[in-house]
Every structure is written in structure tokens, then in C-alpha cells.
């Protein structure tokens, strides 16, 4: 089937042959973030009222995807820019920025014409975006795992409740459900990155890749600034989850439904736009 041939071509040229960039970016970020967490945990553990904060594989991932607390605009409290959280997702966008649209120029147009139906090309690129998103976050997780192995940090999945309490600055009224927390850390970031990459592809198709990247950056910043259920980035911040903000936090099920729904909308809208677009106008 032509769709699978195009998809296989994209996975080969757009992912496997560029895997070194995924590895370098994923492992490099993981090392920097893990070093930051180790330094922070050591500094906090030296405070008598805090006590020892244990480092584990699970706690490192929690630190990576913690995000920031809900921001309430106030002259006395400046906006806490979530640089680490933003970098994780924007680097994932950067990896998929230019390759999908290269088939609209030069020899790539011949591939598009020979595919027979434009829908196959579009769906193959969407499938490539999904696999690329998974590959990037997998490299990031493997980088954290490698850091733990090198520095002899326990490879444990347990999330420390005490660590969460120190991060947010207050005690929790209930125990953290370990299985649900792990679903939050694994599922929501993946779904968010898939949506962002698909949105970047759609905007890039219409206005150019730089605009797609800029739209994603603006959307993530808005999500960090405003804690609103319609801004998808809020669901990927564990510190804004219902397990931390019990009375008003984000619910994982709502986030899953929102992100899947938005991704499907992007795929459908992009398919319609691409079907009607004059792709040969530059020849």
C-alpha cells in the first residue's frame, strides 16, 4: 500500500538516518537536567527541616516534568519562567521542524506526485510525527536511565511523596497513587508533544516552518502563564495536577481526551488544506 511505503520512507530518511540527533539531544538534556536535580536535592537535604531527599529514576523523571505552580499575577510575585519544561518540548519540536515540508520542494515533489493521492503523503507525515515524538521522549528517558546507572542512583519507579511536598512547598493531604502518577509522567507529555508536532506541521504547511515553531512556543508560554483547562500545556505539568492541587488541579482523563481530540482535528484540517493547496505553484 502506498501509505505504508511513504511512511517507511519517512521513518528511514526522517528518523533512522537522523537518530544521532535524537540521541545527542535527548541524552544531553537528560544529563543537564539530572545534574540540576542532584544539586538541588543535595542543597535541600542539607536543610534540617527538610531531611534527606532520595534520588531515584522515578524522582528524576518527576523533576523533569514537574512544570511550575499555578501563576497568580501579582506585583510582588514575578512570573517564574519554566525554562526546563519549555526546553523539553521545544527541542522535540525542533527535531521535526523542517523534514516534513521538504517533499514540497524539488525532487520531493516527484515523490508526492507519484504517491497518487495527497492524503497518503499527509497521513504518512502525521504518522512520522507521532513516531518521532515517541523516539525523542524515549531517548530522553534512556538518558535519565543512563545517568542513574553512571552515578549509581537506584533504578526505582517509586515517586517520593516527600520530594513532591518539598517541590511545591506544602504537605499533601493524601498519598500519591504511584500507578496514576506514572501514567501522568509517561502518557501526557507524549500526547502533548504529538499534538505540538502535528500543529507545527499544519502551521508550517500554510505559513512556513518557523511560524509553526513560533506558534508552539507561544502556546506553551500561554499554558504556563494561565492555568486554563483549554490550554493543553497545563496537563503536562505535574505540579498542576489534581494530585497536587486537589480542589482545582488538572484531571488526567480530561487532558488525554483534549490532546487526542485536538490531534485528530489537526490531522483532519491539515488533510483538507493540503488536498486543496497548489503544491506545484513554485515550479
Amino acid at each position: 500500500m502506498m501509505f505504508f511505503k511513504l511512511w517507511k520512507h519517512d521513518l528511514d530518511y526522517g528518523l533512522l538516518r537522523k537518530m544521532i540527533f535524537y540521541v545527542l539531544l535527548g541524552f544531553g538534556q537528560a544529563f543537564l537536567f539530572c545534574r540540576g536535580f542532584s544539586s538541588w536535592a543535595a542543597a535541600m537535604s542539607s536543610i534540617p527541616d527538610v531531611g534527606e531527599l532520595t534520588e531515584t529514576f522515578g524522582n528524576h523523571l518527576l523533576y523533569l516534568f514537574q512544570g511550575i505552580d499555578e501563576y497568580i499575577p501579582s506585583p510582588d510575585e514575578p512570573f517564574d519562567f519554566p525554562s526546563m519544561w519549555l526546553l523539553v518540548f521545544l527541542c522535540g519540536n525542533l527535531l521535526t521542524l523542517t523534514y516534513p515540508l521538504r517533499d514540497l520542494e524539488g525532487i520531493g515533489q516527484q515523490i508526492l506526485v507519484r504517491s497518487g493521492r495527497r492524503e497518503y503523503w499527509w497521513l504518512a507525515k502525521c504518522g512520522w510525527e507521532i513516531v518521532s515524538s515517541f523516539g525523542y521522549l524515549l531517548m530522553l528517558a534512556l538518558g535519565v536511565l543512563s545517568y542513574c546507572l553512571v552515578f549509581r542512583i537506584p533504578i526505582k519507579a517509586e515517586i517520593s511523596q516527600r520530594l513532591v511536598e518539598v517541590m511545591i512547598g506544602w504537605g499533601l493531604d493524601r498519598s500519591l497513587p504511584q500507578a496514576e502518577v506514572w501514567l501522568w509522567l509517561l502518557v501526557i507529555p507524549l500526547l502533548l508533544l504529538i499534538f505540538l508536532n502535528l500543529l507545527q506541521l499544519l502551521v508550517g504547511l500554510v505559513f512556513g516552518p518557523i511560524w509553526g515553531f513560533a506558534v508552539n512556543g507561544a502556546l506553551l508560554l500561554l499554558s504556563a502563564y494561565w492555568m486554563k483547562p483549554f490550554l493543553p500545556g497545563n496537563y503536562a505539568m505535574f505540579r498542576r495536577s489534581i494530585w497536587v492541587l486537589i480542589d482545582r488541579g488538572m484531571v488526567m482523563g480530561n487532558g488525554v481526551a483534549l490532546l487526542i481530540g485536538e490531534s485528530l482535528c489537526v490531522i483532519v484540517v491539515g488533510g483538507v488544506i493540503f488536498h486543496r493547496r497548489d503544491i506545484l505553484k513554485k515550479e
Side-chain angles (χ1 to χ4, degrees):
M1 185 178 177
M2 183 56 66
F3 163 74
F4 290 104
K5 290 182 179 179
L6 291 172
W7 190 34
K8 182 178 180 298
H9 175 271
D10 288 332
L11 292 179
D12 185 13
Y13 285 86
L15 180 61
L16 296 180
R17 299 193 182 193
K18 298 180 180 296
M19 184 55 66
I20 184 63
F21 297 106
Y22 287 75
V23 173
L24 290 176
L25 196 56
F27 275 64
Q29 283 190 100
F31 179 83
L32 291 176
F33 296 153
C34 288
R35 288 303 297 169
F37 173 63
S38 296
S39 299
W40 177 82
M44 296 302 295
S45 297
S46 64
I47 301 176
D49 294 338
V50 173
E52 183 179 2
L53 297 178
T54 58
E55 291 187 62
T56 64
F57 174 70
N59 287 341
H60 274 270
L61 282 183
L62 175 67
Y63 180 79
L64 187 61
F65 293 112
Q66 63 174 307
I68 60 175
D69 296 329
E70 177 185 8
Y71 175 64
I72 301 176
S74 171
D76 300 328
E77 186 174 347
F79 177 61
D80 184 16
F81 189 79
S83 56
M84 178 180 68
W85 180 83
L86 277 171
L87 192 61
V88 169
F89 293 102
L90 289 181
C91 284
N93 296 155
L94 190 62
L95 284 172
T96 63
L97 182 60
T98 58
Y99 170 77
L101 300 179
R102 289 179 183 174
D103 278 357
L104 301 180
E105 301 175 357
I107 298 176
Q109 288 187 348
Q110 301 302 319
I111 299 176
L112 178 58
V113 172
R114 293 177 182 179
S115 66
R117 296 182 61 182
R118 296 185 179 192
E119 289 82 1
Y120 293 155
W121 184 95
W122 172 254
L123 291 176
K125 290 296 183 291
C126 290
W128 173 82
E129 293 280 12
I130 293 173
V131 176
S132 296
S133 301
F134 177 81
Y136 164 69
L137 290 181
L138 177 61
M139 291 301 105
L140 193 63
L142 290 177
V144 175
L145 179 63
S146 300
Y147 178 88
C148 293
L149 290 173
V150 169
F151 291 94
R152 298 182 180 180
I153 295 171
I155 310 298
K156 295 182 179 180
E158 181 181 359
I159 304 296
S160 171
Q161 179 157 334
R162 180 56 180 163
L163 173 63
V164 175
E165 292 176 342
V166 173
M167 282 181 174
I168 63 178
W170 65 82
L172 298 178
D173 296 334
R174 58 180 177 177
S175 299
L176 290 174
Q178 296 290 321
E180 294 183 28
V181 172
W182 268 98
L183 285 175
W184 189 286
L185 295 178
L186 296 178
V187 175
I188 298 296
L190 175 60
L191 291 178
L192 176 60
L193 185 58
I194 289 174
F195 165 67
L196 292 174
N197 279 336
L198 290 173
L199 180 63
Q200 178 176 262
L201 176 62
L202 173 58
V203 176
L205 179 68
V206 179
F207 300 105
I210 298 301
W211 283 104
F213 186 77
V215 166
N216 278 350
L219 184 59
L220 290 172
L221 276 175
L222 285 174
S223 297
Y225 191 83
W226 283 301
M227 184 175 164
K228 302 295 182 181
F230 57 84
L231 292 173
N234 281 285
Y235 295 95
M237 296 186 184
F238 183 76
R239 290 169 70 161
R240 297 186 179 184
S241 70
I242 195 172
W243 297 302
V244 176
L245 304 176
I246 297 176
D247 56 338
R248 63 188 187 283
M250 297 295 167
V251 179
M252 185 177 67
N254 295 341
V256 170
L258 176 69
L259 290 168
I260 292 178
E262 289 179 334
S263 296
L264 291 176
C265 287
V266 170
I267 293 174
V268 173
V269 171
V272 173
I273 293 176
F274 186 69
H275 182 75
R276 299 178 179 180
R277 186 169 185 260
D278 181 12
I279 59 173
L280 301 178
K281 61 183 179 181
K282 294 184 180 180
E283 286 194 341

